[in-house]
Amino acid sequence: MIKFVVLTLFNDMFTSFLNTSIIKRSIEAGKLSVELIDIRDFSGFKNKKVDDTPYGGGNGMVISAEPVAKAIDFALTLIKDLECEIIYMSPRGNLLNYNMCKEFSDGCSNKAYILICGHYEGIDERVLEEYNIKEVSIGDYVLTGGEIAAMVFIDSVTRLVPGIITEGSLIDESHTNKLLEYPQYTKPSVFRGRKVPEVLLSGHDKNITEYRHKKSLELTLKNRPDLLK
Ligand code: ADE
């Protein structure tokens, strides 16, 4: 079982993610747990306000330290004896890649992650220091909030947990061996005049493996030459 506790201002964004496909089935099978905590529940104000203007001036609003800290303290009570890492989804963070996903998924049977989703201009820096929070980015662009990034994190880490998807599916997929995945085809063998490459119909395993490796190399060279360096 891998466990995530998500601190967010927008719980609803997770509804279809948690109720679809592999993520839904993993939750039902008891292999994955995702709990959502609304940071506003820890506001302390009647109107559930959790943000304020930035010290030093500037645009937008900053999420205050206190409600986030209280939400973290509550999340920690849900995690009990599990080893826990607290992660703030942020464009400032370490860029998530396949190796990091693998590390986050390793030893997941006794691990939990608290994922904090920011909004507006981010959260008060002192809460990050107070809890020694790691920052993770999903790409060099800025999202309107951390929720989509948290879903990317949960999805990409969970699928590497043993028993979540067929082990074989992971072997040749993009990024496992620094190469992008070769092209895939299924029936019918002719689509609008385009034939499936002959070698894939040959049943000759060695030739198929060689062909796929060549295609992986070609694709990587074309789309992501940086991976070959
Ligand atoms: N929040 C806003 N932009 C983000 C990004 N690129 N990665 C993670 N969290 C974010």
Side-chain angles (χ1 to χ4, degrees):
M1 152 84 82
I2 184 160
K3 190 175 173 81
F4 299 92
V5 182
V6 184
L7 275 47
T8 169
L9 295 170
F10 299 97
N11 281 21
D12 290 352
M13 286 183 73
F14 290 86
T15 309
S16 34
F17 171 61
L18 298 177
N19 280 296
T20 307
S21 184
I22 294 172
I23 294 296
K24 178 183 186 195
R25 288 203 297 277
S26 304
I27 293 171
E28 286 170 351
K31 294 175 181 168
L32 165 68
S33 158
V34 183
E35 299 197 51
L36 303 174
I37 293 181
D38 187 341
I39 300 169
R40 284 185 223 274
D41 289 345
F42 300 87
S43 138
F45 294 106
K46 246 204 180 120
N47 65 358
K48 300 209 163 198
K49 176 181 161 75
V50 290
D51 56 1
D52 218 320
T53 51
Y55 275 122
N59 289 326
M61 300 291 271
V62 176
I63 302 178
S64 314
E66 196 61 42
V68 178
K70 285 188 173 146
I72 294 173
D73 291 340
F74 178 69
L76 288 168
T77 68
L78 303 176
I79 278 161
K80 301 190 180 85
D81 300 333
L82 297 176
E83 190 188 311
C84 175
E85 213 170 319
I86 310 179
I87 295 172
Y88 172 43
M89 306 314 303
S90 148
R92 293 193 322 198
N94 285 121
L95 202 52
L96 189 66
N97 62 24
Y98 185 87
N99 286 344
M100 282 164 70
C101 294
K102 193 89 196 75
E103 278 167 26
F104 285 124
S105 75
D106 279 347
C108 55
S109 56
N110 60 351
K111 262 195 198 164
Y113 294 101
I114 296 176
L115 305 181
I116 305 172
C117 306
H119 258 268
Y120 320 120
E121 296 306 312
I123 65 180
D124 190 309
E125 190 72 20
R126 290 167 295 180
V127 84
L128 303 178
E129 292 162 9
E130 176 77 7
Y131 291 87
N132 194 18
I133 294 171
K134 178 184 256 173
E135 295 183 60
V136 172
S137 167
I138 62 159
D140 289 336
Y141 40 77
V142 181
L143 301 163
T144 54
E147 284 74 13
I148 292 172
M151 288 184 242
V152 167
F153 187 91
I154 295 170
D155 197 282
S156 55
V157 173
T158 298
R159 66 188 292 288
L160 297 179
V161 171
I164 298 275
I165 56 176
T166 326
E167 303 279 303
S169 314
L170 300 175
I171 292 172
D172 275 338
E173 70 179 0
S174 296
H175 302 291
T176 42
N177 49 12
K178 301 235 174 234
L179 292 181
L180 302 182
E181 191 178 357
Y182 46 78
Q184 296 277 18
Y185 303 86
T186 185
K187 295 179 190 68
S189 62
V190 183
F191 162 72
R192 297 190 183 172
R194 294 169 187 275
K195 290 188 184 141
V196 169
E198 205 65 46
V199 60
L200 299 179
L201 309 175
S202 70
H204 194 300
D205 288 345
K206 187 165 168 283
N207 289 357
I208 291 173
T209 305
E210 276 172 17
Y211 167 81
R212 285 178 162 167
H213 184 66
K214 182 169 159 270
K215 284 288 163 190
S216 276
L217 270 171
E218 281 172 13
L219 267 171
T220 313
L221 200 60
K222 177 166 169 268
N223 293 346
R224 293 293 307 276
D226 55 300
L227 295 175
L228 295 171
K229 281 192 191 122

